[in-house]
Structures are given as C-alpha cells and as structure tokens.
Amino acid sequence: MKREILTMLRKDGTYVSGQQLCERLGVSRTAVWKAINALKAEGYEIGAVQNKGYCLLQAPDVLTEAEIGSRRTDRWKDAPLVVYAETDSTNNQARRLAQEGNPEGTLVVADRQTRGKGRRGRVWETPASAGIAMSFVLKPEIAPQDASQLTILAALASLRAVQDVSGADCAIKWPNDLVLNRRKLCGILTEMNLEEDYIQQIIVGIGFNVHHEAFPESLADKATSLYLETGQKYSRAEIVCRVMQHFAEYYEQFLTQRNLAFVREEYNHFLISRGESVRVLGVGQEWSGRSLGINDTGSLLVETEDGEIREVLAGEVSVRGLYSYA
C-alpha cells in the first residue's frame, strides 16, 4: 500500500484527499492513516491539511520497494521488483528469479551488496546507504554473440541517468565502466545463461558509487563517487528508475535494428579513449594503438602503430589509457 500511496502523491504533485486514497486503494481511512504514519516513520515528510488531504513534501534517500516502485515509468514498471537491505549479489538473485520463471524486466536492487561481481572474478562491494547495486532480467530473442551489445546500451543508459540527476560530465571507459574525472564511478557486468544456442536469460548488473566519502588507499586513484566529485547528495532510487527508463528506450530500438548503429555516434561521443593511445591487455599479449571508437556491433576499433585497424571484442581483453586507469 505504501508504494501505491507514494505513486499517487507523486503523480498529482499536490494534495490528495484521504477519501481519494481510500477509493483508489479500496481500503479504509484507518488503513491509509496507518500507511501514511509508517512512511513518516521511514523519513518521508508528508503534509496533512484538513479538507485538502496529504501532500508529499520530501522523500528520504532510501532504496525500498515503495520508493523505487512509486517512481517507475518504464515499460517494465509492473514487473517484479525485489529490494534487499543486504544481499550477496543482485546478479545472483536476479538469475534465481529468472530461473523461477519471472518475466523480462524483473529488477533486483540492494542497499548493501557483499559479494557483487566485477569483471575477471573481481568482487564489487556496495556499502549500506552509499551506493547502488541493481540487476535486471532480459530475455531477448537474439544470437548469443550479440549479447555483449547490451552492455553498451547499459553504459549509455547509466550515463544518461547520472546526467539527469546530477548533471555530472561523465564519460565511458569501453565497454562497461562510467568514469568521472578519469576515475571509476559505475561498473556494469552482463551475464548470460544458455541452453544449447538459445538464450535463456541475460542478467545486466550495474553498480554505482553515489555517496561514498572515501575509498581504500588501493582504490583512491581509480574510483570516485558522485558525492566526492560534486559535493552533493542524490536520490539513489531516482537514479535506478532513470537507468531503467533509458535502457528500456534503447533496448526497444535495439530489438528492432539488431545492431548498435543507432547509438554508435552517441556512444563514441562519450568514449573517453576515442582518439587517444590505449593499451590492449589480453591473455599472454599486450599491445598499444589509437582508439577509434566502436563499430556497429560494439567492438572497439584500435589502430596499431603500423596502421592496421583491429577489432577488439568485449570480454576478451582489457583496454586502458597509457598513463591511467581510464
């Protein structure tokens, strides 16, 4: 009921009478009063005026089913939404839900994540009240070799969400990191489950550093947060919902066009390494070249010192700047 009340208060943006809430929700005035008080106890500032009703004045920065759900406007807003105060990995939980038959668009969010997954087996931890750990389920009818293109779309959706909320001038480190002032702000991991040559589901996991005030010494020169860069605090729930909205829009176009031609120019505009020298690090190999941006399938084009243009495939190598992480 709290989700529905918040949705109504946000939609109207003004006072909503207790009678309207009762009629729309099919509950008693006492039930509405109890739900309003429960929201107030969670930190919501809700005005109440006789003969006018209730008005949402301010919302706390919380990751709850009610707060996130009441902000959703994307195509999957009615799909299952599961929010944890703490979990090991939102990717693990989203995969479990998908395997249990939950539909595309199922979203898992955690306030604290203890064993999140990064590339090459690294762990991505999300401290409570500081970051965002989110994962959602996709079930596209595409070839398995095209699944990595969804990482490109997730990076763009994440960047647009951060811009919407903070105005921060983010960039993308190919293929799956957002950077701010050449330090990592957001990481993305796409995992796929196959049955023979058929995609059962794809899990897109995204982690944001939002309110972190410091990082361990080993990460201080590589990682940052929105708070460290802007000095401001933001609604993490709004960031989650903006990601889902932008991704849904990109995804719909992708399913129609079946490649990334429609976002190639946009992605390359934000690609931090475009035109710069980079190191390509693979298993047993390392070479340098100049990044030219992505092609229509999301591969990075790198021009070698002898003028050869190579396609670098996501997942096979790491690409870094010559003198920094980005």
Side-chain angles (χ1 to χ4, degrees):
M1 186 188 303
K2 291 187 290 185
R3 172 175 175 170
E4 288 77 11
I5 288 175
L6 287 175
T7 299
M8 292 172 65
L9 294 179
R10 286 197 161 104
K11 179 181 179 181
D12 293 334
T14 183
Y15 284 90
V16 180
S17 71
Q19 185 61 36
Q20 285 178 298
L21 292 171
C22 292
E23 291 175 355
R24 292 191 198 179
L25 299 176
V27 298
S28 67
R29 282 183 175 270
T30 300
V32 169
W33 179 80
K34 287 182 178 180
I36 292 288
N37 283 340
L39 288 169
K40 288 181 177 179
E42 294 174 10
Y44 290 88
E45 194 175 330
I46 299 175
V49 177
Q50 190 172 7
N51 298 325
K52 292 182 70 174
Y54 301 100
C55 179
L56 179 62
L57 302 176
Q58 190 169 339
D61 174 48
V62 292
L63 293 177
T64 62
E65 193 274 343
E67 176 65 10
I68 296 170
S70 67
R71 291 176 175 271
R72 296 280 297 275
T73 59
D74 60 272
R75 64 186 284 183
W76 298 306
K77 62 184 177 63
D78 296 321
L81 166 62
V82 180
V83 182
Y84 294 94
E86 179 179 326
T87 192
D88 58 347
S89 163
T90 55
N91 266 32
N92 286 347
Q93 299 299 342
R95 182 184 302 103
R96 175 183 60 80
L97 290 170
Q99 292 173 343
E100 290 175 357
N102 284 276
E104 182 170 76
T106 295
L107 172 63
V108 177
V109 180
D111 185 56
R112 181 168 186 260
Q113 179 177 246
T114 58
R115 297 289 297 175
K117 298 179 180 181
R119 291 188 71 204
R120 300 175 180 268
R122 299 184 184 95
V123 174
W124 180 289
E125 293 188 8
T126 305
S129 303
I132 298 169
M134 59 182 289
S135 301
F136 51 92
V137 177
L138 299 176
K139 298 183 178 182
E141 294 182 1
I142 61 175
Q145 61 266 28
D146 294 335
S148 63
Q149 297 179 46
L150 298 175
T151 302
I152 299 292
L153 300 183
L156 276 174
S158 299
L159 182 143
R160 292 301 188 185
V162 171
Q163 285 184 329
D164 290 347
V165 172
S166 71
D169 188 17
C170 292
I172 298 173
K173 176 182 177 291
W174 181 87
N176 61 341
D177 290 348
L178 292 193
V179 294
L180 191 52
N181 290 333
R182 305 194 78 88
R183 290 179 171 85
K184 185 172 182 176
L185 179 72
C186 166
I188 300 163
L189 180 67
T190 302
E191 297 184 302
M192 177 171 54
N193 282 59
L194 294 174
E195 182 175 330
E196 296 180 351
D197 292 330
Y198 173 76
I199 294 176
Q200 289 185 313
Q201 65 263 334
I202 293 172
I203 308 300
V204 179
I206 306 175
F208 288 91
N209 300 329
V210 184
H211 296 148
H212 299 64
E213 297 182 359
F215 289 92
E217 186 176 347
S218 60
L219 296 176
D221 64 336
K222 301 180 182 68
T224 192
S225 70
L226 279 176
Y227 176 76
L228 286 173
E229 298 297 336
T230 69
Q232 302 291 320
K233 295 293 182 77
Y234 302 94
S235 166
R236 292 174 297 150
E238 183 177 359
I239 294 173
V240 170
C241 295
R242 297 274 186 161
V243 170
M244 296 303 293
Q245 181 64 51
H246 285 294
F247 185 87
E249 293 169 358
Y250 286 128
Y251 184 65
E252 185 173 2
Q253 287 184 268
F254 172 74
L255 292 181
T256 299
Q257 300 195 21
R258 300 288 170 162
N259 62 38
L260 299 175
F262 72 101
V263 293
R264 180 178 178 179
E265 182 177 347
E266 180 184 2
Y267 185 91
N268 284 334
H269 173 76
F270 292 108
L271 186 62
I272 194 168
S273 65
R274 189 179 188 191
E276 295 188 1
S277 296
V278 296
R279 287 181 298 161
V280 181
L281 309 172
V283 179
Q285 64 167 329
E286 178 177 339
W287 51 280
S288 298
R290 185 169 67 95
S291 169
L292 303 178
I294 65 166
N295 61 14
D296 288 351
T297 62
S299 296
L300 184 67
L301 302 178
V302 180
E303 184 180 17
T304 66
E305 294 176 354
D306 60 6
E308 177 189 359
I309 296 178
R310 297 188 187 181
E311 285 189 24
V312 181
L313 303 178
E316 294 187 355
V317 298
S318 291
V319 175
R320 297 185 179 181
L322 285 182
Y323 306 110
S324 69
Y325 154 79

